[in-house]
Amino acid sequence: MIERGREEERDYFLRILDIIEETVFVIDRDLRILDLSKGCLNKIRNGVEREVAIGKGCYEGLWGLEEVCESCPVHSVFEKGEAARTERFFSLPDGTNRYFDIEWIPVFDEHGEVTRVIGDIRDITKRKEAEEKLAEIVDGSSIPTFVINNEHKITHWNTAVESLTGLKREEVVGTDRQWMAFYAEKRPVMADLIADKAPASKFKDWYGDKYKMSSLIEGAYEAIDFFPPLGEEGKWLLFTAAPLKDSEGTVIGAMETLQDITERKEAEEELKNAEEQCRTIFEHVLTPLCLIEEDDTISTVNKEFETLSGYSREEAVGKKWTEFVAPEDLEKVMNCYHNEKKEELPCCGFKFVGREGDITDVKVSIEHIPRRKIRVASLMDLTKLKREEELCAICEKLKELDDMKKNFLNAAYHELRSPLTPIVGYASLLKCDELGDKQRDYVSNIEKYAEQLKGQINRMLELARIDGGEIAMTLEDVSIPGIVNDVVKSFKPLWNDKEQMITTHVPEGIVVRGDKQKIIAIFTNLILNAIKYTNEGGRIDIMVEDRGEDIRVCVADTGIGIPEKHLPKIFERFFMVNTSLTRKSESLGLGLSIVKEYVKLHGGRIWATSEPGKGSKFFFTLSKKGEIRGR
Amino acid sequence: MRKKRVLIVEDAPYMREMMVEMLNHAKDRYEVVGFATNGKEGVEKYRELKPDLVTMDLVMEEMDGIQAIKKIKQEDPNALILVVTAMDTPENRNMAMDAGADGYLWKPFTINNLLDVLERMFGKDKSGW
């Protein structure tokens, strides 16, 4: 029964061997072939009967060899009971050269002993040849190229990629360290994504918008990126990864080629910069420019052209250039336009017609750009040029006059002061003698008006110095209540005489950073004016308001007032409200203009309101921070 | 008390005359011992006369007042010099002070102004500033 059962078993087995495509054989411990599949005979020993092979050593029966192959793992499979695998090249009896992949599978008996081994043969000649071909292509290529298999292990790494990345093939082949050449930390390279048949979203994750599908190779992707670790200053690479497929179309790995495009990128960058530079110059040059196409239409204009013509860019583009030329000048400009002599820039003057039909005298020069078949017309606005020249001359003249005025004031000051000296001096000497009351009065008058003249001359000099920017500010913390009290007190004889009432409203402890002498001068001037222009028994109020950043001062009187039309002018130099006023009191011509300059020097402003017959209010502000407003 | 001897350095004749007139009102105290019309002459006259005080104009030909003050002070640090000028600007005042002037009188001035400043210069503080 047992034998019979075995017979049946073997029968089954043989029938299976008959029908399967696989190339399978069974050997015993002596390596003798016990059975083999029909496929095996067909594929390896074409035309040989099964019976011939059975009973022979596998080396002879299958390959026609005389001895067992060197380093054949089959013995160790029998000993250790573990499966093994060999890839081997054979020259077959029929004269063909083949690669076979043989898998050795142990078969155990009931005692656990290996009694037989099944050999499973696969013909890998095509794959091997393809691999060799690939190696030949990759290694022989001058384009940096590497190949990985499905397990992301590098199989090929050519000399060109070695010199690009600095990584030797011994360091990387058989590893998955392809990222090391390009990135600071481990991440997939494009070949890895290809080998994984990754979806587009994965490419986007790793390459953002820098990647695209190759238009040349199916299933391939390419990208351009900058790799800082490469070379000394990093490199721009164009890299393309394509899937590698076996004869059945199964992806078995990926090949990636790299192209160093740093120089191209730099050239592109330079070109871009140059273009931008040109555009900027074109746009911002203070010369009206336009580009004229071959068909005489304008294709680009700059801002100055817009200003000159009155047309916006959109309106000007597409117009014929002849529309901008006055008919009588057309022929002249046409000649200039068609003159393509290289030696000199064709150039001529004409009447430029603007949007509203307005005429501007211009000069044009036309440059041909032969390769692009366009012309650049640059225009010069002669009217504007002339006007600017005139303005410059006027400015020059004004500056001269201003200098003259300054020099004159300085000289006048000295010359006017000198004769005053003996007048004042001798008047004082005269008073030393015995004089009648009348004579004493005369001398007092001389002294009084000499004093007035001296004041006027001093104010003139002060203004000259303010104009010359020669006024130095000595900054200190100035106590406003102290100044107001001192000034009011110093004029007590005056307001007492006129029976006027002066009240002050000054917050205690208010301090301003400024030039003490000038602040005193501001208060003195305004308070003195208020006393002068207020009749007897009138009232004067001085109010100081602390506004945080600055102070605001108001000096209000119940005096004769100032007509409204004069208010804006009272701070101007040499302005006097009217002659009768001048005769009655002293001039305020220069005084207020100096006050205004002093207030300005303290970062403040001054203004006045008035009701003629009722009184005036003078207001000014002073910055607390000692802010000096530049002239 | 001995009269103080004064040297007047001044280019305008009427100024010299007027100052003499003014000092004549205090003859018991002051005596004009000489004149100079420019700085250079002023320095020479100072060496020659050794006055107690010099009045010094600033704007003069040959040598200006500032140079003359420096020169005199260099030769005699104890010299008393009063600047008398129409150019009353802070710059001028600083220059005069730096040169070593002991007092400053601003034109125009009265007899009282002049006598006051002289009194102060010969007084306790020896300063007419």
Side-chain angles (χ1 to χ4, degrees):
Chain A
M1 283 298 287
I2 290 167
E3 281 302 307
R4 195 184 154 80
R6 289 218 160 172
E7 278 297 311
E8 269 178 26
E9 203 178 281
R10 181 174 151 76
D11 206 38
Y12 272 133
F13 186 57
L14 283 176
R15 294 191 68 175
I16 291 168
L17 289 180
D18 273 350
I19 52 169
I20 59 170
E21 286 286 313
E22 270 68 24
T23 317
V24 180
F25 63 98
V26 186
I27 53 171
D28 64 11
R29 277 186 164 267
D30 300 328
L31 310 185
R32 272 183 312 184
I33 298 171
L34 299 177
D35 283 307
L36 75 172
S37 65
K38 210 162 188 173
C40 191
L41 282 167
N42 290 342
K43 278 184 187 152
I44 301 167
R45 306 217 62 180
N46 208 8
V48 175
E49 290 300 316
R50 189 184 284 178
E51 283 68 28
V52 178
I54 287 177
K56 290 200 172 133
C58 61
Y59 45 92
E60 189 194 354
L62 288 170
W63 322 110
L65 299 171
E66 287 177 8
E67 275 176 46
V68 64
C69 308
E70 206 179 310
S71 72
C72 180
V74 71
H75 289 296
S76 116
V77 176
F78 276 108
E79 296 310 318
K80 292 184 183 165
E82 286 169 8
R85 197 162 178 174
T86 16
E87 270 185 19
R88 193 171 280 275
F89 170 78
F90 293 97
S91 278
L92 294 184
D94 63 1
T96 58
N97 291 325
R98 310 267 203 100
Y99 276 102
F100 291 104
D101 172 14
I102 308 158
E103 202 172 356
W104 305 95
I105 303 144
V107 179
F108 301 90
D109 65 6
E110 56 267 36
H111 308 294
E113 294 284 321
V114 181
T115 52
R116 283 166 195 162
V117 166
I118 301 171
D120 180 3
I121 303 173
R122 248 164 298 167
D123 186 345
I124 54 164
T125 311
K126 274 190 187 156
R127 198 190 88 199
K128 274 288 178 188
E129 277 171 4
E131 274 179 21
E132 269 168 20
K133 195 86 198 149
L134 183 67
E136 215 173 279
I137 293 169
V138 170
D139 292 339
S141 171
S142 60
I143 299 168
T145 308
F146 65 91
V147 177
I148 60 166
N149 64 17
N150 266 346
E151 280 116 43
H152 304 283
K153 297 263 160 57
I154 299 173
T155 58
H156 300 80
W157 189 265
N158 73 1
T159 321
V161 82
E162 276 185 345
S163 61
L164 175 71
T165 62
L167 284 180
K168 294 278 160 210
R169 85 183 61 189
E170 301 85 70
E171 297 172 65
V172 289
V173 166
T175 74
D176 56 1
R177 294 207 293 257
Q178 49 273 30
W179 58 271
M180 252 169 67
F182 312 103
Y183 302 105
E185 50 194 55
K186 187 167 182 174
R187 55 159 280 183
V189 303
M190 191 168 266
D192 290 315
L193 299 178
I194 296 282
D196 281 345
K197 289 175 271 177
S201 66
K202 278 274 177 216
F203 283 86
K204 201 168 170 56
D205 287 348
W206 291 108
Y207 293 101
D209 296 324
K210 291 178 200 147
Y211 81 97
K212 63 175 186 193
M213 256 204 263
S214 168
S215 52
L216 295 173
I217 308 159
E218 203 199 329
Y221 283 86
E222 59 186 39
I224 289 175
D225 206 354
F226 184 72
F227 294 92
L230 292 179
E232 276 175 18
E233 290 170 346
K235 283 182 192 301
W236 281 95
L237 296 182
L238 162 63
F239 47 104
T240 312
L244 288 179
K245 294 175 182 171
D246 64 10
S247 51
E248 271 104 56
T250 312
V251 173
I252 55 164
M255 177 162 88
E256 185 164 333
T257 59
L258 311 151
Q259 223 177 310
D260 182 354
I261 54 160
T262 312
E263 273 179 28
R264 194 182 93 194
K265 265 281 178 189
E266 278 168 3
E268 273 175 17
E269 200 66 24
E270 251 168 59
L271 193 68
K272 220 170 93 185
N273 287 343
E275 255 179 43
E276 203 170 301
Q277 214 172 325
C278 277
R279 200 185 310 276
T280 312
I281 293 169
F282 180 83
E283 197 48 44
H284 294 288
V285 72
L286 292 173
T287 305
L289 292 173
C290 64
L291 298 188
I292 303 168
E293 298 294 317
E294 212 178 355
D295 64 356
D296 289 351
T297 58
I298 287 172
S299 58
T300 317
V301 302
N302 69 354
K303 221 177 266 167
E304 282 296 312
F305 188 93
E306 288 184 304
T307 313
L308 173 68
S309 67
Y311 285 109
S312 73
R313 193 162 313 212
E314 293 72 25
E315 291 168 331
V317 166
K319 282 196 187 308
K320 295 246 192 252
W321 65 264
T322 46
E323 290 179 46
F324 295 94
V325 181
E328 66 266 32
D329 286 338
L330 200 53
E331 201 185 319
K332 183 165 67 166
V333 184
M334 202 68 97
N335 286 338
C336 177
Y337 184 76
H338 290 295
N339 177 0
E340 293 186 20
K341 269 187 265 161
K342 283 274 154 19
E343 313 85 69
E344 53 191 277
L345 218 54
C347 135
C348 71
F350 71 95
K351 290 192 177 353
F352 183 94
V353 183
R355 185 195 172 109
E356 311 300 338
D358 47 315
I359 299 287
T360 314
D361 277 322
V362 300
K363 196 170 143 187
V364 66
S365 71
I366 299 166
E367 174 82 18
H368 298 249
I369 303 177
R371 277 174 60 193
R372 293 196 47 205
K373 289 186 175 160
I374 59 172
R375 289 168 167 87
V376 183
S378 70
L379 300 150
M380 193 195 286
D381 182 341
L382 295 174
T383 316
K384 196 168 147 197
L385 198 70
K386 212 171 142 201
R387 209 161 49 225
E388 272 164 13
E389 272 168 10
E390 280 167 8
L391 273 177
C392 275
I394 291 170
C395 277
E396 210 53 42
K397 191 84 199 155
L398 280 174
K399 220 175 127 340
E400 246 169 63
L401 280 172
D402 198 46
D403 285 346
M404 264 170 67
K405 186 189 81 186
K406 264 183 240 160
N407 290 338
F408 169 76
L409 279 172
N410 266 323
Y413 171 71
H414 192 247
E415 295 311 309
L416 291 172
R417 283 282 291 265
S418 294
L420 255 184
T421 313
I423 296 172
V424 171
Y426 280 113
S428 73
L429 274 171
L430 209 51
K431 280 199 335 201
C432 294
D433 291 341
E434 290 289 321
L435 294 177
D437 287 347
K438 222 173 181 180
Q439 284 79 3
R440 194 155 287 275
D441 267 359
Y442 294 163
V443 176
S444 289
N445 275 334
I446 295 174
E447 279 185 325
K448 183 180 159 195
Y449 289 108
E451 188 62 29
Q452 227 179 83
L453 186 54
K454 188 177 96 182
Q456 199 70 348
I457 295 167
N458 286 346
R459 284 192 289 273
M460 266 170 62
L461 176 81
E462 187 69 0
L463 277 174
R465 291 171 68 219
I466 289 171
D467 286 351
E470 291 165 34
I471 287 288
M473 294 278 284
T474 315
L475 290 186
E476 59 183 307
D477 288 333
V478 181
S479 160
I480 299 300
I483 285 182
V484 174
N485 284 336
D486 287 351
V487 173
V488 170
K489 213 192 266 174
S490 70
F491 293 132
K492 192 165 182 185
L494 286 179
W495 51 267
N496 248 357
D497 265 7
K498 294 179 89 173
E499 292 175 351
Q500 291 163 338
M501 189 167 90
I502 298 195
T503 59
T504 60
H505 313 270
V506 188
E508 259 179 62
I510 200 162
V511 169
V512 162
R513 193 152 180 81
D515 187 312
K516 188 172 179 181
Q517 291 313 316
K518 294 187 175 61
I519 294 176
I520 289 175
I522 297 168
F523 276 102
T524 302
N525 207 298
L526 294 180
I527 293 172
L528 193 56
N529 276 345
I531 295 170
K532 277 189 214 161
Y533 296 117
T534 300
N535 294 327
E536 292 192 358
R539 180 193 161 99
I540 293 159
D541 286 287
I542 301 157
M543 284 155 287
V544 179
E545 192 187 334
D546 187 346
R547 305 200 301 180
E549 295 277 298
D550 62 1
I551 62 165
R552 191 179 77 161
V553 181
C554 172
V555 178
D557 62 47
T558 56
I560 54 177
I562 303 161
E564 202 183 335
K565 63 174 177 172
H566 292 320
L567 272 179
K569 294 185 198 159
I570 54 170
F571 299 104
E572 282 175 16
R573 293 172 192 191
F574 305 110
F575 179 77
M576 287 166 214
V577 173
N578 59 48
T579 42
S580 73
L581 195 109
T582 323
R583 237 179 274 130
K584 189 173 175 188
S585 345
E586 289 148 43
S587 131
L588 68 139
L590 284 176
L592 281 178
S593 57
I594 291 177
V595 167
K596 183 185 172 184
E597 297 295 342
Y598 281 179
V599 168
K600 268 164 72 183
L601 283 168
H602 284 86
R605 59 186 207 94
I606 184 163
W607 69 100
T609 62
S610 183
E611 263 186 77
K614 288 200 171 168
S616 309
K617 282 181 182 170
F618 280 79
F619 297 90
F620 66 92
T621 63
L622 297 176
S623 164
K624 279 189 185 174
K625 283 185 276 179
E627 177 195 332
I628 314 287
R629 190 179 290 171
R631 284 184 54 83
Chain B
M1 202 174 69
R2 188 175 69 82
K3 286 188 196 174
K4 301 293 181 193
R5 302 168 68 248
V6 177
L7 168 65
I8 295 173
V9 185
E10 167 67 64
D11 62 351
Y14 64 83
M15 278 301 300
R16 292 198 294 267
E17 270 170 43
M18 189 184 84
M19 285 174 79
V20 171
E21 289 281 343
M22 285 178 170
L23 291 176
N24 270 344
H25 278 266
K27 306 195 236 237
D28 54 324
R29 277 169 286 163
Y30 307 109
E31 180 190 0
V32 177
V33 292
F35 301 104
T37 56
N38 64 53
K40 195 163 163 266
E41 210 186 321
V43 176
E44 283 159 12
K45 282 279 164 81
Y46 185 85
R47 276 185 209 135
E48 186 192 317
L49 300 169
K50 291 280 172 220
D52 296 306
L53 182 132
V54 184
T55 71
M56 181 71 71
D57 191 9
L58 287 187
V59 186
M60 289 179 298
E61 311 232 325
E62 282 286 338
M63 184 192 278
D64 69 30
I66 298 292
Q67 296 303 319
I69 294 169
K70 281 183 185 163
K71 192 92 185 127
I72 292 171
K73 279 282 176 180
Q74 196 189 341
E75 292 180 15
D76 180 6
N78 292 322
L80 265 188
I81 303 175
L82 172 66
V83 169
V84 181
T85 182
M87 294 304 282
D88 179 54
T89 62
E91 299 78 49
N92 265 331
R93 235 179 295 189
N94 286 340
M95 268 202 306
M97 200 179 259
D98 290 346
D102 301 281
Y104 198 92
L105 185 62
W106 187 21
K107 293 175 187 175
F109 55 88
T110 64
I111 177 171
N112 287 339
N113 296 146
L114 175 64
L115 295 180
D116 275 356
V117 75
L118 288 182
E119 207 165 303
R120 278 189 284 128
M121 287 176 75
F122 285 114
K124 206 165 59 193
D125 297 339
K126 295 217 177 297
S127 168
W129 284 101

